[in-house]
Structures are given as structure tokens and as C-alpha cells.
Amino acid sequence: MKYKSPPELNRGRRFSDNMVCGHELLLKAKLGIRGNTKGVGYAVPAFNVTTFQGINAAFEAFETLGSSGYLAFSNSALKHFGRGDAISGLELASSYIERLAKVSTVKIATHLDHGDYTSDGGRKVVQASIEMLTSVMADNSTNKKLGIPSSLEDNIGFTREVVNMAHPVGVSVEGELGVLAGEEDEDTKSEVSTYTNPEELEEFLKCTGVLMLAPTIGTKHGPNKGKPGEKVKLNIPLAHELLKTANEVNDEIVFVAHGASTLYPNVVKFAIDQLKSLSDNSETIENWRNFVGTDWEQIQGLIGAGFCKINTDTENRQTFLAALIGAINKNASKVDIRYYDNLTTAALRNSYIQKLIMAGNYGIWHEPKIDIKSFNFKLD
Ligand code: 13P
């Protein structure tokens, strides 16, 4: 190895009340730790949030189930929180979460999603995130400045710079190897997808020291993950091959699945039914019909191959939108923002609860406050 050994993650760092390093939650999931017991592994859905409403709904879900809470922000989400300025957004959103966490019953990690260290603007956001969040992604597999895939050497070089700053202050780093296709927002646009090359994995992990890795095995960002009627196929055998290598390097390494939204068929049906009763919506209905998520069985296959963090955004955006369409359809003369806010917050909370239950992420910090088996997620 031509590089000096990267710094280890400082596990002695204490964050403010109930805030924890992202990797700590993921390692618990890999080891299957709930309360004081050790059992079957589970996954931690990392929910991308773009509004304070989303944060409120996520806290309600985590506290209902006693879950480990992982909240992620893209650059563009931070700009939205900061009304155009990502650094102000970071300050506002992270301090809001810390206030909620202080009185929370569960532990929370905050994460910069798709942090870009290849451009000047992106670098500033990564540096500020290391100060204000508990986990960051160093997404350098594509050079955002040049708009082309990075060489392995560049990806390692940029990712090491982030690890050098983050690990000593107890902030975990997620690297990416391979290029993921799809579009969630302007931070994640890519037409092409390349699988992670297993021959590059050992060198990448050893040289960067990351404990979290997003390999690319066929998932895709956004609402159009495949063709309607056809199942999205992930490369699960490759995921197992990569896990074997990663465990040999360090068995505390966990994998991250991007583009893990399954999209709930009943939410899509609800939205289409609502839209049908509004006027001239054929194009919108067609768009909803073309939304395709990744089957949950495929994601379960990834969880079985060491994917402990499953990134989820699109399905919650869809749930929000479907609930809003339903609320307007039902009662568009209610002149009260709180009415629509309460309805959409409840829908989002239930969407989060559904995914946490599917991932087995409940009863981690306390017993669930609802009966898991009878929970039935639907919009009405
Ligand atoms: P989805 O678009 O499938 O929700 O994926 C979100 C994601 O990977 C964020 O990084």
C-alpha cells in the first residue's frame, strides 16, 4: 500500500444528548443488537429528509417503534432548509434535530448524503458537515467537477482526505465504489451504472479506512427503477463476493444500499384513484403507472449480504404526494395549513414505520408502542 494507514474512527467522541456516530447504529444492526440482547441482524433505513415536517414525522416513527434513527441530507436538501444556502441549512436542520434528540427515547445519527469532495462548493459542505453531523458520505466515484467517473486513484485520494478529517472527530465516512444510475434530484443524476469491480475493493477499503461502503450492484435512484411489469434484478451474488472481501479487511465494515425504495403499490393505487376523479390527469396518471421500485425480496437479499443501511427517499416523497392529492380531493376548501400538514405528516410517519418494520428495525432502544403484527400501512 503506497499510502500511510488511514486514521481509525475515534469511538470515544461524545455527541450531544442521544446523538450518536452513524457507524455505531449500523454496527449494532450488523451484530443484531437490540437492548441488551444479541440476535438476528437487521437494517437501518436512512431516510432522506428535505423539510422540517419530514424530520418531525421520522421522530414520531422512531419513537413509536424504539428504532435507531438515521436521517440524511443531500446538498440540495440542505439548500432547501437554508433557503438557498446549504451551510445555513446544515446549521438549522442539525440544531433542530439535536433539540428533538435531547428529549427523545431513541438514538439518532445525522448524515450528509452524496457529499462531493471533487468540487470547491461540495468540499465546503463536506467540511461543515463533519462539524455538524455524525456521519458523511464521500461520494467521489464520479468527479462532479468534470462530470466523469473518477479513476480508482482519485476516488481513493478524495475519500482519504475526508476520512483524515472525519475519523479523528468520531464522524463515520461512507465511500462509494462503482457508479449508480438514476435520478433522485440534481445531486444524483447519472444515466450510466457500473457494478463495483471486486478487484478494486480490497485496495479501496485498506487505503481509505472507510467503515461504510456503498457498492453498486444494480440499484437505482428515483421513481423509475425499471420497466412497469418487470422486476428489478440486483446482483446479489456480487454483493456476497464483496462482503467476503470486506469482512477479511475488517469485519466492522458495513455496506449501504442506495436507491432502496420499494415504492408501496397501495400508495400508487391510492394516488391513481384520487387523480382519476380530478379533471384531465391522463399524463400524471401515466407517470404514476410508470413508477417502479425495487422489490423488497431483492433488498432483503442485500440485507443478507451485509447491507445494513438502506437509503430511502423516493417512496416517502410519493407517500407525501399521494396523501396531499387525497386531502385536496377530499376537502379543498379547508383554509388551514395545519389540516394538510397533519394529514401529510401522519402519512409520512406511517410510511417510515412501515419501512422500519420491514427492515426489522424496532425494539432497539425500547419496546415498540404499537402492535407490530397488526400495523397496516394505508392511506385513506
Ligand atoms: P431512492 O430513490 O430509492 O429512495 O434512494 C434514495 C437514496 O439512495 C439516497 O441516497
Side-chain angles (χ1 to χ4, degrees):
M1 189 165 73
K2 63 181 176 182
Y3 298 100
K4 249 175 61 194
S5 289
E8 284 188 9
L9 178 63
N10 172 0
R11 294 176 199 280
R13 161 84 187 269
R14 291 287 160 259
F15 294 92
S16 72
D17 292 349
N18 292 320
M19 297 297 302
V20 291
C21 169
H23 181 260
E24 187 178 324
L25 296 182
L26 303 180
L27 188 57
K28 256 184 194 303
K30 186 171 186 180
L31 299 173
I33 298 176
R34 291 162 199 273
N36 297 323
T37 60
K38 203 168 169 187
V40 186
Y42 53 91
V44 180
F47 296 125
N48 278 73
V49 281
T50 52
T51 60
F52 291 102
Q53 181 196 32
I55 297 175
N56 294 340
F59 266 84
E60 284 181 24
F62 299 147
E63 290 169 358
T64 300
L65 296 177
S67 305
S68 285
Y70 217 113
L71 294 174
F73 309 96
S74 64
N75 264 287
S76 55
L78 290 173
K79 274 196 197 137
H80 182 71
F81 275 107
R83 312 182 98 202
D85 178 39
I87 306 289
S88 320
L90 197 49
E91 279 161 4
L92 285 167
S94 63
S95 52
Y96 187 76
I97 290 175
E98 282 170 20
R99 284 291 291 272
L100 293 184
K102 262 191 201 328
V103 290
S104 180
T105 56
V106 300
K107 305 286 182 208
I108 305 288
T110 45
H111 179 81
L112 173 69
D113 196 22
H114 296 289
D116 158 36
Y117 213 68
T118 63
S119 68
D120 296 341
R123 209 168 296 154
K124 286 200 183 95
V125 176
V126 172
Q127 285 161 344
S129 297
I130 292 171
E131 281 173 37
M132 291 184 247
L133 305 179
T134 75
S135 177
V136 294
M137 178 178 187
D139 174 4
N140 301 308
S141 60
T142 303
N143 188 314
K144 301 268 179 353
K145 200 166 167 184
L146 306 176
I148 50 168
S150 301
S151 64
L152 177 64
E153 198 177 2
D154 281 355
N155 190 358
I156 289 176
F158 286 126
T159 306
R160 272 177 67 88
E161 285 192 51
V162 179
V163 171
N164 282 338
M165 287 185 295
H167 272 190
V169 294
V171 171
S172 47
V173 180
E174 173 184 331
E176 179 170 291
L177 193 58
V179 178
L180 193 88
E183 180 176 353
E184 185 187 350
D185 54 28
E186 57 267 40
D187 300 326
T188 59
K189 235 189 228 169
S190 173
E191 299 289 324
V192 288
S193 158
T194 53
Y195 284 143
T196 299
N197 178 352
E199 284 165 20
E200 296 178 345
L201 183 64
E202 186 180 340
E203 185 181 354
F204 183 83
L205 292 173
K206 283 190 173 159
C207 295
T208 61
V210 292
L211 294 175
M212 295 155 64
L213 178 80
T216 48
I217 29 66
T219 57
K220 196 173 173 187
H221 286 124
N224 302 104
K225 299 186 191 298
K227 296 206 176 82
E230 285 177 20
K231 286 194 188 285
V232 173
K233 194 114 182 49
L234 306 180
N235 195 337
I236 311 279
L238 173 62
H240 280 281
E241 183 184 344
L242 298 172
L243 177 67
K244 192 166 170 290
T245 306
N247 277 338
E248 279 162 13
V249 173
N250 181 345
D251 62 6
E252 295 195 342
I253 291 171
V254 294
F255 286 166
V256 176
H258 282 253
S261 274
T262 37
L263 312 188
Y264 304 116
N266 58 343
V267 170
V268 172
K269 182 177 178 314
F270 176 86
I272 291 175
D273 289 347
Q274 297 292 317
L275 285 163
K276 275 183 187 159
S277 61
L278 295 167
S279 62
D280 193 21
N281 273 307
S282 47
E283 202 182 316
T284 314
I285 290 175
E286 199 48 32
N287 285 341
W288 274 88
R289 287 210 172 103
N290 286 330
F291 289 155
V292 175
T294 309
D295 280 352
W296 179 243
E297 298 77 58
Q298 295 279 304
I299 302 291
Q300 275 178 312
L302 293 186
I303 296 174
F307 284 71
C308 298
K309 174 168 172 275
I310 50 174
N311 289 6
T312 314
D313 184 9
T314 304
E315 68 191 20
N316 302 313
R317 294 180 186 206
Q318 281 191 330
T319 298
F320 169 90
L321 181 54
L324 187 62
I325 297 167
I328 290 171
N329 220 4
K330 205 186 295 165
N331 192 350
S333 61
K334 188 95 181 155
V335 190
D336 187 343
I337 294 172
R338 289 166 299 183
Y339 172 74
Y340 302 100
D341 183 36
N342 287 338
L343 270 170
T344 48
T345 304
L348 268 177
R349 178 197 61 220
N350 290 343
S351 187
Y352 293 141
I353 288 180
Q354 178 68 58
K355 185 45 56 78
L356 289 162
I357 293 176
M358 286 160 82
N361 185 346
Y362 50 83
I364 314 299
W365 302 102
H366 56 75
E367 286 302 310
K369 295 177 187 159
I370 56 168
D371 178 17
I372 302 293
K373 290 201 182 73
S374 60
F375 179 76
N376 179 18
F377 171 50
K378 63 179 179 49
L379 299 177
D380 49 30

